[in-house]
Amino acid sequence: MKILVTGATGYIGKRLIPLLLNDGHKVICAVRDKQRAQLYFKDRKNITIVEVDFLNAQSLTQLPKDIEIAYYLIHSMSNSVKEFHVLEEKCAFNFKRFAKTTSLKQVIYLSGITNDTKLSKHLLSRKNVENTLSSKKYALTTFKAGIIVGSGSSSFEIIRDIVEKLPFMVAPKWLNTKTQPLGIRDVLSFLHKAIGKEELYNTSYDVFGPEVLTYKEMLYQFAAVRKLKRYILTVPVMTPKLSSYWLYFVTSTSYKLASSLVNSMGVEVIGKKSNINQILEVTPMSYKEAVEFAFVKIKQNSIISSWKDSYISSGKLKNYVHEFINVPKHGCFKDFKQRTLKNKEKSLDKIWAIGGETGWYYGTFLWKIRGFIDQFFGGAGLRRGRRHPNELNAGDALDFWRVIYADKTKGKLLLYAEMILPGEAWLEFKIEDNKLKQTATFRPHGVAGRLYWYSVMPFHWFVFNGMIRNLNK
């Protein structure tokens, strides 16, 4: 089918598109910034990127008319304009007017659960958008979700920040608000399986996980998954404004997004039961399972669950795997180095021979010390070496790393650390646009992880600078 995805570069859109491509669909990506989208969707087959602004009805004339399915994923949670609900309704109205001129059969809209009698401005806006999108020209299928649990989502990142940084916290009373969190994998399953399902035409379903939890319980369960002991005291004196500032200073979110979330978190998000799980054969996972899924480590011959693209590890991608594997971004420390290539083939050969007898091209004695430390604490150290002197495949052991992705023709090697660490680490080598790019990424585990990163920063400066320099000789 030819499928239009609005909000294509958003949290849900970026995870949904690979599933659609893998099914052989042709995807039209409607984006506001074509240049930014092209960086993400670079060189991908069956994708057409169209720059449109749904606030400008005239720009929608650039979209093709022969689309069959459309995903409406436009939200403005962090929009700085106070009248965002007016803008959201205008976007929906312009989309609907355009859709009436096409061969569109079904629109699939992801909204929020709106059952509470007292709704936040954002949830009220979601409800109004649903009403606006409804049409006799095409069928509307609406899924309403609450908190979405997956690496990269706003709520997940904020919870991670709070749990990782604060052993003890004095928190606002909205932590006692009840909700039904739903894993990102399950959200994608609902959206993906709804395509062309006529029994879902002109219907609306709440989709939610199997548990009713308070935000406080979610924090405790998150901490349990991360094996962290946390203590939380809730106080009734924090106003929404103070709560927003609390989130802003404790986490890495913006104040405007923190303010929007605080307003929403004061509302109970409990879904209405239906038979949608049976219709689409989806069994939502528990909150704890969803968190574990987001932090899953990769075993031999499987692909890592990326912070940015957490759905890849479900194993459902076949044809586009190399394009959607990325190292985590949120909550991570990075050491990035880049050099203009002198000899591409020579650099590739060096990268594919790294480790084992060849070594790491700089500071060999430091790598050996790190290996001894790892062995001392029960890790593998450098003993494992490598399977072959100049061949690498996904799943191979490489000293105290594991090969997650290796494709020499595409110039990309991704390694995951299996050494003893207070966190998780990735090392990526990528060749593109005549540049050699080397990225070391560390996702700390609590305070100990942050202290570890800062303690090894001086060594990283020497080792990683020397390594990329020698790889480019």
Side-chain angles (χ1 to χ4, degrees):
M1 292 184 176
K2 184 174 278 190
I3 300 177
L4 171 67
V5 178
T6 66
T9 55
Y11 176 67
I12 301 295
K14 285 190 293 190
R15 288 156 176 75
L16 179 64
I17 286 169
L19 304 181
L20 303 178
L21 292 174
N22 197 61
D23 287 345
H25 299 300
K26 292 182 179 179
V27 179
I28 313 299
C29 298
V31 299
R32 283 182 295 180
D33 186 345
K34 189 173 183 178
Q35 191 171 12
R36 174 190 166 203
Q38 283 174 330
L39 290 174
Y40 185 81
F41 298 120
K42 187 179 179 182
D43 301 327
R44 290 169 191 174
K45 298 177 182 177
N46 291 330
I47 278 189
T48 302
I49 300 172
V50 183
E51 188 172 87
V52 297
D53 182 355
F54 281 90
L55 290 172
N56 178 6
Q58 185 60 33
S59 71
L60 305 190
T61 58
Q62 301 176 70
L63 292 169
K65 300 291 182 70
D66 58 342
I67 52 175
E68 299 167 76
I69 305 290
Y71 283 95
Y72 194 85
L73 305 174
I74 298 173
H75 297 315
S76 57
M77 189 68 169
S78 57
N79 200 310
S80 60
V81 182
K82 289 183 179 179
E83 293 77 22
F84 70 90
H85 57 286
V86 176
L87 302 183
E88 285 200 333
E89 191 170 350
K90 185 176 180 181
C91 286
F93 177 78
N94 287 340
F95 171 87
K96 177 179 179 178
R97 190 164 62 174
F98 157 75
K100 287 181 176 180
T101 68
T102 71
S103 55
L104 194 60
K105 297 176 183 176
Q106 181 189 23
V107 173
I108 302 171
Y109 170 48
L110 180 62
S111 181
I113 293 176
T114 54
N115 297 326
D116 200 293
T117 53
K118 183 183 176 182
L119 296 175
S120 67
K121 289 182 180 179
H122 282 89
L123 288 175
L124 273 174
S125 180
R126 301 283 193 269
K127 197 170 185 178
N128 290 337
V129 167
E130 181 183 0
N131 293 334
T132 303
L133 290 176
S134 182
S135 172
K136 294 180 180 179
K137 173 68 177 177
Y138 55 79
L140 177 64
T141 302
T142 303
F143 293 112
K144 299 181 178 182
I147 293 292
I148 296 177
V149 186
S151 55
S153 75
S154 299
S155 54
F156 183 92
E157 296 304 328
I158 285 175
I159 289 172
R160 181 196 58 77
D161 263 358
I162 293 172
V163 171
E164 295 278 356
K165 291 178 180 177
L166 301 177
F168 176 81
M169 62 193 86
V170 178
K173 62 181 179 180
W174 49 254
L175 281 193
N176 294 319
T177 303
K178 294 178 181 179
T179 185
Q180 283 183 286
L182 181 66
I184 179 62
R185 184 175 66 177
D186 298 321
V187 174
L188 293 170
S189 291
F190 284 119
L191 293 173
H192 185 213
K193 292 182 176 183
I195 294 175
K197 279 272 187 181
E198 293 189 10
E199 58 192 303
L200 300 185
Y201 285 6
N202 299 312
T203 58
S204 177
Y205 292 96
D206 290 350
V207 289
F208 45 86
E211 307 154 295
V212 175
L213 299 172
T214 65
Y215 288 101
K216 188 175 182 178
E217 289 170 329
M218 289 167 63
L219 287 172
Y220 277 132
Q221 288 196 24
F222 196 104
V225 170
R226 299 293 280 157
K227 295 181 172 57
L228 296 169
K229 192 71 175 176
R230 293 297 181 254
Y231 302 92
I232 305 170
L233 174 65
T234 54
V235 293
V237 294
M238 281 196 190
T239 64
K241 192 166 187 177
L242 281 174
S243 295
S244 301
Y245 277 118
W246 181 80
L247 272 187
Y248 173 63
F249 286 115
V250 168
T251 72
S252 56
T253 189
S254 67
Y255 175 76
K256 293 189 183 299
L257 179 56
S259 180
S260 299
L261 287 168
V262 165
N263 288 330
S264 296
M265 287 172 170
V267 178
E268 286 200 348
V269 181
I270 308 298
K272 288 182 180 177
K273 292 183 179 181
S274 69
N275 62 342
I276 188 61
N277 293 359
Q278 290 72 39
I279 293 173
L280 295 183
E281 297 181 345
V282 178
T283 304
M285 65 179 76
S286 69
Y287 173 72
K288 204 167 184 178
E289 288 172 327
V291 174
E292 288 171 345
F293 181 80
F295 283 101
V296 69
K297 292 184 178 180
I298 298 312
K299 296 184 177 180
Q300 193 165 347
N301 294 322
S302 60
I303 300 167
I304 194 152
S305 170
S306 160
W307 194 264
K308 184 177 180 183
D309 295 295
S310 59
Y311 195 67
I312 292 171
S313 61
S314 67
K316 293 193 176 184
L317 293 183
K318 302 168 188 172
N319 305 322
Y320 298 88
V321 163
H322 77 278
E323 300 175 349
F324 293 95
I325 296 178
N326 294 282
V327 295
K329 280 192 173 183
H330 298 277
C332 297
F333 296 112
K334 286 185 182 288
D335 185 296
F336 175 73
K337 302 285 185 293
Q338 179 175 278
R339 298 288 186 275
T340 300
L341 281 167
K342 294 179 179 178
N343 187 314
K344 180 180 177 180
E345 295 305 319
K346 192 174 180 180
S347 290
L348 269 174
D349 288 341
K350 284 185 175 182
I351 292 170
W352 252 252
I354 203 166
E357 294 296 322
T358 304
W360 293 82
Y361 296 108
Y362 189 83
T364 301
F365 73 99
L366 291 173
W367 286 97
K368 287 182 178 179
I369 290 172
R370 185 63 184 87
F372 286 134
I373 293 172
D374 191 52
Q375 279 185 246
F376 180 79
F377 286 98
L382 301 179
R383 294 175 298 175
R384 299 188 303 186
R386 49 180 294 155
R387 176 185 57 82
H388 190 278
N390 52 26
E391 288 181 4
L392 289 174
N393 293 298
D396 283 354
L398 180 55
D399 291 338
F400 42 47
W401 300 88
R402 179 71 60 182
V403 179
I404 299 303
Y405 180 81
D407 193 322
K408 202 170 183 180
T409 61
K410 294 181 173 65
K412 182 172 178 176
L413 175 65
L414 179 59
L415 308 176
Y416 179 76
E418 293 187 326
M419 65 189 86
I420 304 298
L421 284 170
E424 297 160 291
W426 293 259
L427 183 59
E428 181 184 51
F429 301 96
K430 188 189 294 184
I431 290 178
E432 61 181 7
D433 302 325
N434 201 39
K435 301 281 187 182
L436 170 59
K437 299 177 181 181
Q438 173 188 289
T439 309
T441 303
F442 181 67
R443 183 163 62 196
H445 184 198
V447 177
R450 286 167 171 79
L451 292 175
Y452 169 82
W453 175 261
Y454 289 120
S455 69
V456 298
M457 274 182 67
F459 302 104
H460 284 175
W461 190 88
F462 287 104
V463 170
F464 292 133
N465 269 306
M467 186 162 65
I468 195 169
R469 182 173 64 248
N470 290 331
L471 285 171
N472 197 37
K473 279 186 176 178

